[in-house]
């Protein structure tokens, strides 16, 4: 798989691993996190998993041994490939000699990381600390007003053996998505590993995630923006479901912290006990738990 891989010359066994969500490269965070890693004498890895980009063209060998171009990306992604993607990633990390991982996941990437950790304890034990940026509860996406009618259309296409047919409306209002991919992401419940929107949900499995965890959520993220307490009870419910987690609600930002990425990365650096570079007069504008 393609990746941004920066191996530090010190041969340190520590790696900062960055996992993004569906159809989003989130390059600002990628740039800042890679700088943070290298300034702390550790390596950085940002893998481009199957669903990292919304659409792209790649090449593969078909059953006849011929090379052919195929369309791939989040538009046609299949969650059944999540485990094989992470297996390949974990194999590469081990072969590179890393034994200690600081992990940052964002949006739908948070759910994928948790899903894999619950299945692969060797990977989990290598993660020293973990940050979850704007974790998604897919139930909230399912109920998004932009998705009205899409489930019915997707099911019709599936029954008609047109599972790869693109839906007539865009996923989250911005991305083309196939019928099968839409149904997998929103209705295969085993992949919705962080269903915190319903505070009666059973999150007991998260107690197995026992490394220190920090959750960041924007004040105006759709998951909490309408909560009377500013989202503290909902994000607190998620944090308390882990064995050792805390949270921060970042002021005056929406889902992906636009304009305050550096502030968030500096806070992540402090959580990881990294050395950070902060200009004089800069302050961390974060609500504390």
């Amino acid at each position: 798989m393609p990746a941004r891989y920066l191996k530090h010359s010190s041969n340190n066994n520590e790696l900062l691993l960055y996992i993004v969500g569906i159809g989003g490269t989130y390059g600002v965070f990628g740039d800042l996190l890679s700088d943070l890693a290298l300034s702390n004498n550790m390596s950085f890895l940002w893998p481009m998993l199957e669903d990292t980009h919304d659409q792209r063209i790649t090449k593969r060998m078909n059953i006849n041994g011929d090379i052919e171009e195929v369309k791939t990306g989040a538009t046609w992604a299949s969650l059944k490939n999540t485990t094989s993607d992470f297996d390949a990633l974990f194999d590469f990390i081990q072969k590179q000699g890393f034994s200690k991982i600081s992990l940052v996941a964002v949006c739908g990437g948070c759910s994928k990381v948790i899903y894999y950790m619950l299945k692969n304890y060797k990977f989990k034990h290598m993660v020293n600390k973990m940050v979850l940026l704007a974790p998604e509860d897919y139930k909230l996406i399912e109920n998004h007003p932009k998705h009205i009618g899409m489930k019915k259309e997707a099911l019709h296409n599936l029954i008609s053996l047109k599972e790869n047919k693109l839906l007539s409306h865009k996923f989250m209002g911005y991305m083309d998505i196939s019928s099968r991919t839409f149904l997998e992401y929103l209705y295969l419940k085993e992949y919705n590993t962080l269903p915190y929107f319903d505070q009666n949900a059973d999150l007991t499995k998260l107690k197995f995630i026992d490394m220190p965890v920090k959750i960041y959520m924007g004040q105006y993220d759709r998951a909490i923006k309408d909560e009377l307490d500013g989202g503290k009870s909902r994000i607190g419910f998620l944090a308390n479901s882990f064995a050792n987690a805390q949270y921060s609600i970042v002021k005056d930002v929406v889902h992906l912290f636009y304009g305050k990425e550096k502030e968030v990365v500096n806070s992540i650096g402090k959580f990881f006990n990294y050395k950070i570079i902060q200009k004089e007069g800069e302050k961390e504008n974060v609500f504390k738990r």
Side-chain angles (χ1 to χ4, degrees):
M1 66 183 69
R4 177 186 293 183
Y5 177 44
L6 305 173
K7 189 164 187 177
H8 198 276
S9 58
S10 67
N11 291 320
N12 194 311
N13 68 346
E14 295 187 35
L15 174 70
L16 177 55
L17 177 61
Y18 176 47
I19 303 293
V20 302
I22 178 173
T25 52
Y26 314 133
V28 175
F29 275 116
D31 291 342
L32 291 170
L33 289 169
S34 60
D35 290 345
L36 180 68
L38 294 180
S39 66
N40 283 272
N41 301 321
M42 64 179 56
S43 300
F44 175 77
L45 178 59
W46 172 9
M48 305 300 167
L49 305 175
E50 179 188 38
D51 59 0
T52 296
H53 300 281
D54 55 353
Q55 292 186 32
R56 59 179 174 163
I57 303 295
T58 189
K59 294 181 180 180
R60 71 178 179 191
M61 181 180 293
N62 63 28
I63 58 175
N64 298 319
D66 299 323
I67 301 299
E68 61 182 4
E69 287 191 344
V70 293
K71 291 182 178 180
T72 185
T75 295
W76 297 278
S78 176
L79 283 168
K80 68 182 180 182
N81 296 331
T82 294
T83 298
S84 58
D85 266 356
F86 272 92
D87 282 343
L89 176 63
F90 183 47
D91 181 63
F92 175 80
I93 289 171
Q94 289 182 303
K95 287 179 177 177
Q96 291 297 303
F98 298 112
S99 59
K100 185 177 179 181
I101 299 172
S102 298
L103 195 155
V104 178
V106 59
C107 194
C110 301
S111 297
K112 291 191 294 184
V113 163
I114 298 300
Y115 175 78
Y116 190 68
M117 277 187 176
L118 293 173
K119 290 180 172 294
N120 189 314
Y121 290 99
K122 289 182 179 179
F123 175 73
K124 189 199 79 166
H125 291 318
M126 287 176 63
V127 177
N128 182 50
K129 288 187 177 182
M130 178 168 61
V131 165
L132 303 178
L133 295 175
E136 284 283 13
D137 180 346
Y138 290 152
K139 186 68 177 180
L140 186 60
I141 301 178
E142 175 188 339
N143 294 329
H144 198 289
K146 292 179 180 178
H147 295 154
I148 293 175
M150 291 178 71
K151 180 181 179 181
K152 182 178 180 180
E153 181 183 356
L155 288 171
H156 172 77
N157 291 337
L158 202 67
I159 294 170
S160 303
L161 302 180
K162 298 177 181 179
E163 61 176 23
N164 289 321
K165 184 177 180 179
L166 300 186
L167 296 177
S168 57
H169 293 83
K170 294 184 181 294
F171 182 67
M172 296 304 298
Y174 75 91
M175 189 183 84
D176 289 324
I177 194 166
S178 72
S179 302
R180 173 180 50 79
T181 301
F182 179 82
L183 293 172
E184 283 192 9
Y185 267 98
L186 299 192
Y187 299 102
L188 285 183
K189 303 304 181 185
E190 64 179 306
Y191 293 101
N192 190 18
T193 55
L194 301 170
Y196 60 86
F197 198 71
D198 176 7
Q199 294 184 44
N200 293 315
D202 182 5
L203 300 183
T204 53
K205 288 184 178 180
L206 297 183
K207 291 298 181 187
F208 291 100
I209 310 297
D210 52 4
M211 77 290 293
V213 175
K214 188 163 185 179
I215 302 164
Y216 291 85
M217 190 70 76
Q219 183 181 8
Y220 303 126
D221 191 290
R222 59 182 173 268
I224 64 171
K225 65 182 179 65
D226 296 325
E227 299 299 302
L228 295 177
D229 66 350
K232 293 180 180 179
S233 61
R234 182 158 286 157
I235 303 306
F237 167 65
L238 177 59
N240 289 332
S241 299
F242 289 95
N244 179 15
Q246 56 183 286
Y247 70 87
S248 289
I249 298 176
V250 185
K251 291 181 179 179
D252 302 323
V253 288
V254 292
H255 179 58
L256 291 176
F257 314 98
Y258 298 120
K260 292 194 176 180
E261 294 94 341
K262 183 176 180 182
E263 180 180 305
V264 172
V265 169
N266 279 344
S267 180
I268 291 171
K270 292 178 182 178
F271 175 66
F272 286 158
N273 295 319
Y274 289 178
K275 173 185 69 178
I276 64 171
I277 300 173
Q278 197 168 29
K279 294 179 181 178
E280 186 177 351
E282 284 187 336
K283 295 183 179 179
E284 185 181 321
N285 192 18
V286 174
F287 287 119
K288 296 298 184 184
R289 183 178 178 183

